[in-house]
Amino acid sequence: MNLKQLSEHLNLSQTTVSRALNGYPEVSETTRQRVAEAAQRMNYSPNARARGLATGRALAIGHVIPVSSKHEMVNPIFGDYVSGAGETYSKAGYDMVLTLVDDATEAETYRTIKSRGNVDGIIVHGPKIDDPRIPLLLDLDLPFVVHGRSSRTTGDYAWVDINNRRAFERATRYLLELRHTRIALLNGLEDMDFAYRRRIGYGNALAEAGIAPDPALMRSAEMTEVYGYRSAREMLAMANPPTAFLVSSMISALGVQRALVDAGLKMGRDISVITHDDDLSYLKNGLDVPIFTATRSSVREAGVRSAQLLLDIIHQRASARTQLLEAELIIGTSTGPAPKD
Amino acid sequence: MNLKQLSEHLNLSQTTVSRALNGYPEVSETTRQRVAEAAQRMNYSPNARARGLATGRALAIGHVIPVSSKHEMVNPIFGDYVSGAGETYSKAGYDMVLTLVDDATEAETYRTIKSRGNVDGIIVHGPKIDDPRIPLLLDLDLPFVVHGRSSRTTGDYAWVDINNRRAFERATRYLLELRHTRIALLNGLEDMDFAYRRRIGYGNALAEAGIAPDPALMRSAEMTEVYGYRSAREMLAMANPPTAFLVSSMISALGVQRALVDAGLKMGRDISVITHDDDLSYLKNGLDVPIFTATRSSVREAGVRSAQLLLDIIHQRASARTQLLEAELIIGTSTGPAPKD
DNA sequence: CGCGCCAGTCAAAGCGCTTTGGCATTTGAA
DNA sequence: TTCAAATGCCAAAGCGCTTTGACTGGCGCG
């Protein structure tokens, strides 16, 4: 069923049917009713490609996911983020197009996306410090929103990010108030912008307290469960072990927890743990009482916000082009005063 | 840059340029070279919508994700699955289109997808027992592959699934061989086909051993960490507690583990745990020695396979339309002989 | 020499839609 | 009553591509 058939069936021109369905005023209300009813009944919906060709808009948003050949981990937050974004697109009648791309050929990919024209804008994932994609995209004149930010990048671009620095500053301060002085940082990969900012926050708080950061207590890697386990295990075996862990992800925090159990240590009493909590749907931080003291910020919410911002930009009704979300510090049972020695 | 401009620039017709780029034989080799070089240099790539309109093919695959308003959990396996599928599409030059859809309006959605024509085929996620989507899609004449299967559905449809029944049969048998008789099943939602089959497998193995299933030991819910924790906690408080847990997901198994720690029980000695392990990239089951004894099957691999199968079907070169993958039973440290009482 | 044939190219139609620019017919104000 | 302004509809162009069908000029063959 296409427009032509539908219009013939109704004894109307394609023009009129099209206008009727798209809510143009030059159609009488009775005709509009008749058209709408027939379209419904015959299950007509316009061909997206033809419409796109005619209007120049694709009604789709692209998400380019860099898939590094080196570390082929899929980010566990991906599902929740996409669910938030996707819901927003759905409401606006947009599709979501995912493109997995080897990070080697990325630049070319963005050019291709632009000239293939099957999306109206894109979301940039996993920005790094001084990320080359941002100047490239600014240059390409393709609307985009960065999920996160990129330090040291010049240029005015749109982003939605959480205040990673502040979150980790507060978390570190909290541990310091509990009289911890040897605080380990299990961070994400520090070429990623979010991890970089978290380390700054951690460093700031330590500096305020006059404590020099100890490289032996700072790690940076992909945030797997095993990473948390192994790091905690090794650090606990040190001559002068940490009394607290600040961890960049719940998954890794679970690994830390496992190492503590192995070592016969009780979390919250012998050792304190704070983690960042993305509020993932399948990995809630306890029910009423949080298990982990955590800096919490819903990544699903970030998905909603960045999608909405991009749509607003495309429709030229965005007021502000950046959004900085604050993470809340929630107190769970995983932290307590530093043990006296 | 479009075809017209490119062809004018080369002093050739659009026809010739198009044919040159698409590898048709009626173009001289020298011309082809010249065209290819110019296209490269001027960063031309054909407009996907126009091409699609002309060829009738979209070069895109749709993934329809039912988002239940009831339980709005995002499946943690989603990321890995999509990564496998996406990589396969990439290689074949296909895009991946995600549509999140409220499960109330699903039927209509598939119709719309078909008539909007922006995908060449779709992958069906999360099939339930007797899933109405399958007859609908068969009727619509839109190529599709189901990730999983649907029991009691008639009709010949394509699917890629793991042998859930067999996996849980083997796991249960293994526990029985270790002399466990009170084996708890923490299953996924049993209107989902995979969970239904797992329960059958569990039941079969118990039946072989002449053990009647105890409803107090069987649960079915969304597979969160908290579900595992709470279920284990409650069951361990029973008058006649289980000595082993068979769990449908690593995430929930982590919850079970937490409950065991709380109860001062050592996993593998006091209590045995077997879980299904989707081999998620961010949640590896230990490093050299698996933590959990597990039925393992990579969901990423399933993504690759189902994507490939769908592409093969679309290109009419699929030999078999179904693939049943076996899960391996890997032995970790979470299982041991049932404690004598 | 004339014919058919092939290689290489092109003009034009068509994919299904939107949108421009009319063209009747009706309405309302002068 | 008259005429401008709405109102309601339509034909046709155009979006950027592929593909059909036709047209050249050069070549081999009888």
Side-chain angles (χ1 to χ4, degrees), chain B residues 7 22-23 44 60 75 77-78 100 134 144 146 150 172 190 194 204 219 242 262 269-271 301 334 339:
Chain B
S7 60
N22 290 311
Y44 167 78
N75 203 318
I77 69 168
F78 180 67
L100 298 199
I134 292 171
F144 71 101
V146 180
S150 180
T172 308
E190 286 182 2
F194 78 91
N204 285 353
R219 297 205 176 180
D262 275 15
R269 188 191 61 195
D270 308 319
I271 293 273
E301 172 72 13
S334 67

Side-chain angles (χ1 to χ4, degrees), chain B residues 178-212:
Chain B
L178 290 170
R179 309 237 165 266
H180 292 275
T181 54
R182 293 195 52 77
I183 301 172
L185 175 68
L186 303 188
N187 206 358
L189 286 169
E190 286 182 2
D191 57 340
M192 302 294 284
D193 192 79
F194 78 91
Y196 170 71
R197 289 178 193 270
R198 287 179 185 176
R199 182 161 58 78
I200 302 281
Y202 164 83
N204 285 353
L206 288 185
E208 280 170 17
I211 296 178

Side-chain angles (χ1 to χ4, degrees), chain A residues 4 16 29 57 60 63 66 80 101 121 130 163 168 201 212 254 269 274 307 312 334:
Chain A
K4 192 172 171 199
T16 303
E29 202 45 47
R57 288 172 306 119
H63 286 240
D80 270 63
V101 51
D130 192 19
N163 198 337
F168 268 41
L254 289 172
R269 188 191 61 195
I274 299 186
D312 286 348
S334 68

Side-chain angles (χ1 to χ4, degrees), chain B residues 48-329:
Chain B
R49 291 192 299 267
R51 161 181 268 176
L53 192 53
T55 60
R57 288 173 303 121
L59 291 183
I61 301 296
H63 286 241
V64 182
I65 321 285
V67 181
S68 166
S69 34
K70 295 192 299 281
H71 33 86
E72 61 170 26
M73 190 179 97
V74 183
N75 203 318
I77 69 168
F78 180 67
D80 270 63
Y81 180 84
V82 156
S83 137
E87 194 180 288
T88 306
Y89 298 144
S90 271
K91 282 181 193 150
Y94 275 67
D95 278 331
M96 172 165 42
V97 177
L98 296 191
T99 313
L100 298 199
V101 51
D102 193 299
D103 53 5
T105 57
E106 256 201 291
E108 193 190 340
T109 301
Y110 289 104
R111 286 224 159 71
T112 305
I113 286 179
K114 161 88 179 176
S115 65
R116 298 220 306 170
N118 49 359
V119 299
D120 298 323
I122 72 178
I123 299 273
V124 174
H125 291 272
K128 305 196 169 185
I129 300 168
D130 192 19
D131 198 308
R133 293 177 290 174
I134 292 171
L136 172 65
L137 282 164
L138 284 170
D139 191 50
L140 277 184
D141 191 31
L142 182 65
F144 71 101
V145 167
V146 180
H147 177 212
R149 271 175 289 175
S150 180
S151 302
R152 302 198 205 130
T153 300
T154 54
D156 175 35
Y157 62 94
W159 51 261
V160 171
D161 197 7
I162 60 176
N163 197 335
N164 282 298
R165 181 192 48 71
R166 192 167 212 272
F168 268 40
E169 233 167 61
R170 288 179 65 194
T172 308
R173 270 195 213 118
Y174 181 72
L175 289 170
L176 290 164
E177 284 162 13
L178 290 170
R179 309 237 165 266
H180 292 275
T181 54
R182 293 195 52 77
I183 301 172
L185 175 68
L186 303 188
N187 206 358
L189 286 169
E190 286 182 2
D191 57 340
M192 302 294 284
D193 192 79
F194 78 91
Y196 170 71
R197 289 178 193 270
R198 287 179 185 176
R199 182 161 58 78
I200 302 281
Y202 164 83
N204 285 353
L206 288 185
E208 280 170 17
I211 296 178
D214 179 353
L217 294 182
M218 293 164 64
R219 297 205 176 180
S220 162
E222 281 201 298
M223 303 177 294
T224 62
E225 200 267 355
V226 167
Y227 164 55
Y229 176 76
R230 187 157 31 172
S231 301
R233 194 186 167 95
E234 289 170 7
M235 287 188 183
L236 290 172
M238 285 168 44
N240 190 7
T243 62
F245 286 91
L246 180 54
V247 188
S248 247
S249 121
M250 282 272 284
I251 301 275
S252 300
L254 289 172
V256 170
Q257 188 182 18
R258 186 156 65 87
L260 298 185
V261 169
D262 275 15
L265 297 170
K266 183 157 164 50
M267 193 166 75
R269 188 191 61 195
D270 308 319
I271 293 273
S272 289
V273 176
I274 300 187
T275 181
H276 183 73
D277 174 6
D278 291 297
D279 204 21
L280 300 181
S281 56
Y282 57 89
L283 194 57
K284 290 293 174 197
N285 186 1
L287 277 177
D288 343 290
V289 183
I291 304 165
F292 291 106
T293 295
T295 56
R296 178 156 67 192
S297 174
S298 161
V299 70
R300 192 176 193 288
E301 172 72 13
V304 171
R305 300 248 193 166
S306 42
Q308 191 59 59
L309 177 57
L310 181 51
L311 292 178
D312 287 348
I313 288 173
I314 289 169
H315 298 132
Q316 304 189 326
R317 52 175 155 72
S319 42
R321 289 162 54 85
T322 64
Q323 281 185 43
L324 186 58
L325 311 173
E326 293 296 334
E328 46 180 353
L329 180 64

Side-chain angles (χ1 to χ4, degrees), chain A residues 189-210:
Chain A
L189 286 169
E190 287 182 2
D191 57 339
M192 302 294 284
D193 192 78
F194 78 91
Y196 169 72
R197 289 179 193 270
R198 286 178 186 177
R199 181 161 58 77
I200 303 280
Y202 165 82
N204 286 353
L206 288 185
E208 280 170 16

